[in-house]
Amino acid sequence: MPITLEKIPGQEERVILSMGPQHPSTHGVLRLVLELEGETVVRALYDIGYLHTGFEKSFESKTYTQGIPLTDRMDYLSPLSNNLGFCLAVEKLLDIEIPPRAQWIRVLLTELTRIQSHLVWLGTHAIDLGAMSVLLYCFREREDILHIFELVSGQRMMTSYFRIGGLALEPPLGWLKRVEKFVKAFPGHLEEYENLLTKNPIWLRRTVGIGMLTADEAIAWGLSGPSLRGSGVDWDIRKKQPYSSYDKFDFEVPTRPEGDVYARYLVRLEEMRQSLRIVQQAMEGLPEGGIKANAPHIVLPDRESMKTSIEALIYHFKIVTEGFHPPIGEVYQAIESPRGELGFYMVSDGSPKPFRCHVRAPSFANLQALPKMIEGRLIADVVACIGTIDIVLGEVDR
Amino acid sequence: MPSDLESNLALKKLREFAPESVESAREFRGELTIYIQPDRLIRVCEFLRDEPGLTFKYLTDITALDLYPNEPRFEVVYHLLSLQNVERLRLKVRSSGENPRVDSLVPVYPSANAFEREVFDLFGIQFAGHPYLRRILLPENWEGHPLRKDYPTEGYR
């Protein structure tokens, strides 16, 4: 029996409505159970798990390196952020140093991921609320970024490009030209979206004052990312607990005090601008040097040295057939993914496979605030509230 | 990250507040883990949340470890965060394999609701006092708890 709401005695005329899992504006397979008084939502429940694939169990039967492709498939709109979180957690466990060039490229690509993910959010959020054309524009620009990903990693979406100890391979010559072209063109596009939405009276009527959350509520409910900053909490892990050299970049963390759908919209738009600044800095200051850590027992040797050095060949054989043995211990590594705090809790028992790898998924936590946001509001606002917390069901269900 | 085991403020204050509630503490890669007496968990969390110098108001995550076949079999893991002090803290509570049961943190942190349901669903650990302890990811009629170590990766056949 799927989850449902029981009718309250004396309130039998209220309708219990099941919204989803097959519903275009639930952004995947989210099911909501709503109790309605006319068009007003009185109570709400969410039902998830339709995409549960047991990633956390699968991690335990794969070596650390084999775990990376699984992370792509969790938050499928920002695969590189997931790759980064996973790799950083394992690297923290191993305590190895990543060369600056690899860190810079990681930053550049994860910021492009953020823009790309926010574009999908903006397009789908707008189409949910009736602004059709924004989606088409957003997906046009998103395609440019996906082309860059394809150029670098060979894949548009399931990139698996970051590896434990660095990157999979050196990006091809001329890839920065593509990035530069995008960086030049994108501010104009952002203006296009803003012209369509920011002062649009219909947009304002649908978003201002809807889905209110105060700062205290947002903290108590464990919200993170733009949803938290839209409630006026200045918290961004890139600034507060910098990882992967984020402390060497100059950017601002936008916050808005209002805590409604519109505030979160403004925060995300500004975040795209700031991400663009980071991309530009990373592109201009990209250091020369290697892209893999100096840890031969962890990082695969390059092809050339395998043919000339017996040690490299042995290491290659050991890593591929067996994997590497991290020290016994546990770490928690959080990064600021486009959706909020993405944390990997990694426990090692000294074997080449993780004893436990738990993912703190931002969408899973953010979704908890949804019933709070929609109770007492109209059905039409439910759609706005689902859009504004920007969930990816692949990550909610894992 | 600051936390030399002895100089850590949270640990020091916690030992002053309720010395019997701290079982042990250890540090790895600059991360502090404190084992808490199971029946003191709620009081400890309230203290950590409300004490002015600590302000661990944000519950990041709850998960569990299955140490099968060792006893006590389960460890429930809590990750707390102080936005003010920019500090993270990991609490752990042990629970036996026979009838695993831990107090629910929902009265202290509302966000514990879904996290505890997930742990209940995948590990079969009961949370006493949880308002709505039902499976969250798996169907209601699912057999077993997949993240337990004695549950085969490919499932029961």
Side-chain angles (χ1 to χ4, degrees):
Chain A
M1 245 324 258
I3 285 180
T4 185
L5 279 168
E6 298 300 324
K7 285 199 177 184
I8 302 173
Q11 304 282 6
E12 276 84 8
E13 78 285 2
R14 287 185 182 162
V15 178
I16 307 281
L17 180 74
S18 177
M19 180 177 173
Q22 315 298 343
H23 189 285
S25 65
T26 53
H27 294 212
V29 280
L30 171 68
R31 177 168 164 264
L32 293 173
V33 187
L34 307 170
E35 183 181 326
L36 302 174
E37 170 99 57
E39 262 201 76
T40 312
V41 179
V42 187
R43 281 190 299 160
L45 259 184
Y46 64 84
D47 183 12
I48 56 175
Y50 293 91
L51 276 181
H52 181 63
T53 18
F55 285 130
E56 291 181 13
K57 186 77 175 176
S58 304
F59 280 127
E60 291 172 14
S61 57
K62 295 185 185 309
T63 65
Y64 288 91
T65 315
Q66 287 169 342
I68 297 173
L70 288 181
T71 62
D72 290 328
R73 284 146 182 85
M74 278 186 292
D75 179 354
Y76 41 79
L77 290 181
S78 44
L80 283 158
S81 300
N82 299 355
N83 293 168
L84 181 65
F86 183 83
C87 290
L88 284 176
V90 181
E91 284 156 9
K92 195 171 181 183
L93 200 58
L94 294 161
D95 201 15
I96 52 174
E97 192 69 31
I98 309 303
R101 184 178 171 81
Q103 294 198 11
W104 251 252
I105 294 177
R106 283 178 173 189
V107 166
L108 196 158
L109 289 172
T110 38
E111 289 309 315
L112 283 178
T113 306
R114 191 182 313 279
I115 296 175
Q116 180 260 131
S117 167
H118 281 1
L119 283 174
V120 177
W121 158 79
L122 180 62
T124 51
H125 191 33
I127 203 169
D128 284 348
L129 298 185
M132 172 100 184
S133 43
V134 183
L135 178 88
L136 304 172
Y137 289 128
C138 287
F139 272 65
R140 182 187 61 190
E141 272 75 72
R142 175 173 181 253
E143 207 58 24
D144 290 344
I145 298 182
L146 292 184
H147 279 147
I148 295 172
F149 289 170
E150 188 178 14
L151 199 67
V152 170
S153 72
Q155 288 281 336
R156 283 153 45 88
M157 285 174 77
M158 301 300 138
T159 48
S160 299
Y161 178 59
F162 301 156
R163 294 295 156 83
I164 295 151
L167 306 173
L169 55 153
E170 177 71 30
L173 284 175
W175 73 292
L176 280 178
K177 285 217 176 70
R178 294 284 283 275
V179 180
E180 202 181 336
K181 205 174 135 205
F182 174 80
V183 170
K184 279 219 178 87
F186 192 61
H189 293 310
L190 261 177
E191 220 154 280
E192 256 175 350
Y193 316 142
E194 288 233 71
N195 285 341
L196 284 167
L197 294 175
T198 304
K199 286 182 183 152
N200 181 334
I202 304 173
W203 182 254
L204 291 173
R205 287 286 288 277
R206 293 297 306 271
T207 57
V208 175
I210 312 284
M212 299 286 286
L213 281 177
T214 63
D216 286 342
E217 283 171 345
I219 290 173
W221 283 102
L223 259 70
S224 54
S227 307
L228 183 63
R229 292 189 284 275
S231 292
V233 182
D234 179 19
W235 178 261
D236 188 319
I237 303 169
R238 291 176 294 169
K239 275 271 189 230
K240 303 284 182 178
Q241 296 188 315
Y243 53 90
S244 203
S245 309
Y246 266 107
D247 46 343
K248 300 202 174 73
F249 293 89
D250 177 29
F251 64 101
E252 271 146 40
V253 178
T255 59
R256 302 284 299 185
E258 295 89 349
D260 58 3
V261 176
Y262 189 62
R264 291 185 274 268
Y265 158 78
L266 292 177
V267 164
R268 288 205 178 89
L269 276 190
E270 184 56 31
E271 261 183 26
M272 286 201 253
R273 287 208 179 82
Q274 297 299 332
S275 291
L276 205 63
R277 274 179 71 191
I278 301 175
V279 170
Q280 182 134 29
Q281 291 167 39
M283 196 173 63
E284 283 162 2
L286 191 65
E288 292 297 319
I291 52 155
K292 286 173 182 173
N294 181 21
H297 57 296
I298 292 160
V299 183
L300 282 181
D302 50 29
R303 235 39 222 173
E304 215 36 55
S305 62
M306 260 171 64
K307 290 171 190 157
T308 52
S309 143
I310 185 69
E311 286 89 354
L313 193 64
I314 292 170
Y315 277 130
H316 181 272
F317 183 76
K318 292 265 284 183
I319 295 169
V320 171
T321 54
E322 188 186 336
F324 48 81
H325 296 257
I328 296 171
E330 54 189 342
V331 293
Y332 178 81
Q333 174 68 46
I335 68 159
E336 189 73 29
S337 97
R339 267 153 265 287
E341 173 167 340
L342 173 70
F344 282 87
Y345 172 56
M346 197 83 70
V347 183
S348 156
D349 58 353
S351 73
K353 294 170 182 173
F355 179 74
R356 173 103 172 88
C357 174
H358 172 70
V359 187
R360 190 272 182 200
S363 303
F364 182 74
N366 289 357
L367 186 59
Q368 284 200 75
L370 185 67
K372 175 119 194 60
M373 288 158 89
I374 59 181
E375 277 168 1
R377 305 221 58 107
L378 296 176
I379 286 198
D381 296 338
V382 173
V383 173
C385 291
I386 298 173
T388 192
I389 49 172
D390 190 19
I391 46 170
V392 165
L393 268 298
E395 187 182 56
V396 173
D397 296 340
R398 282 159 289 144
Chain B
M1 266 201 220
S3 53
D4 195 21
L5 198 53
E6 289 319 303
S7 66
N8 184 280
L9 188 67
L11 184 60
K12 221 171 92 190
K13 285 206 166 183
L14 199 59
R15 283 207 164 120
E16 278 167 24
F17 166 72
E20 72 290 349
S21 61
V22 180
E23 279 181 359
S24 61
R26 65 160 182 248
E27 200 193 352
F28 181 73
R29 301 272 185 261
E31 294 180 7
L32 181 64
T33 307
I34 306 180
Y35 282 88
I36 303 287
Q37 273 283 321
D39 47 342
R40 303 297 166 110
L41 177 69
I42 291 184
R43 272 182 61 202
V44 164
C45 286
E46 276 172 353
F47 172 75
L48 290 172
R49 183 190 64 181
D50 298 332
E51 178 73 9
L54 299 175
T55 62
F56 286 98
K57 288 192 176 152
Y58 192 108
L59 174 73
T60 320
D61 189 26
I62 301 177
T63 183
L65 296 177
D66 180 7
L67 305 176
Y68 182 79
N70 299 336
E71 266 304 322
R73 178 172 171 179
F74 293 106
E75 284 182 0
V76 183
V77 187
Y78 303 87
H79 285 100
L80 302 183
L81 170 65
S82 163
L83 299 179
Q84 242 169 47
N85 301 350
V86 193
E87 201 183 341
R88 290 178 191 275
L89 182 64
R90 183 182 303 128
L91 302 183
K92 279 191 175 182
V93 170
R94 292 195 175 93
S95 179
S96 73
E98 295 280 313
N99 186 23
R101 195 175 182 83
V102 179
D103 284 339
S104 169
L105 271 189
V106 174
V108 190
Y109 299 105
S111 59
N113 194 317
F115 297 139
E116 286 179 350
R117 279 178 71 189
E118 189 193 328
V119 173
F120 165 73
D121 190 355
L122 303 178
F123 283 94
I125 299 173
Q126 298 282 339
F127 287 89
H130 191 287
Y132 192 74
L133 197 63
R134 296 178 64 166
R135 285 191 183 267
I136 187 168
L137 294 174
L138 298 172
E140 290 276 302
N141 56 359
W142 192 267
E143 199 184 314
H145 302 283
L147 283 183
R148 288 188 173 192
K149 287 285 179 188
D150 53 358
Y151 187 100
T153 306
E154 62 277 9
Y156 295 126
R157 292 279 163 86

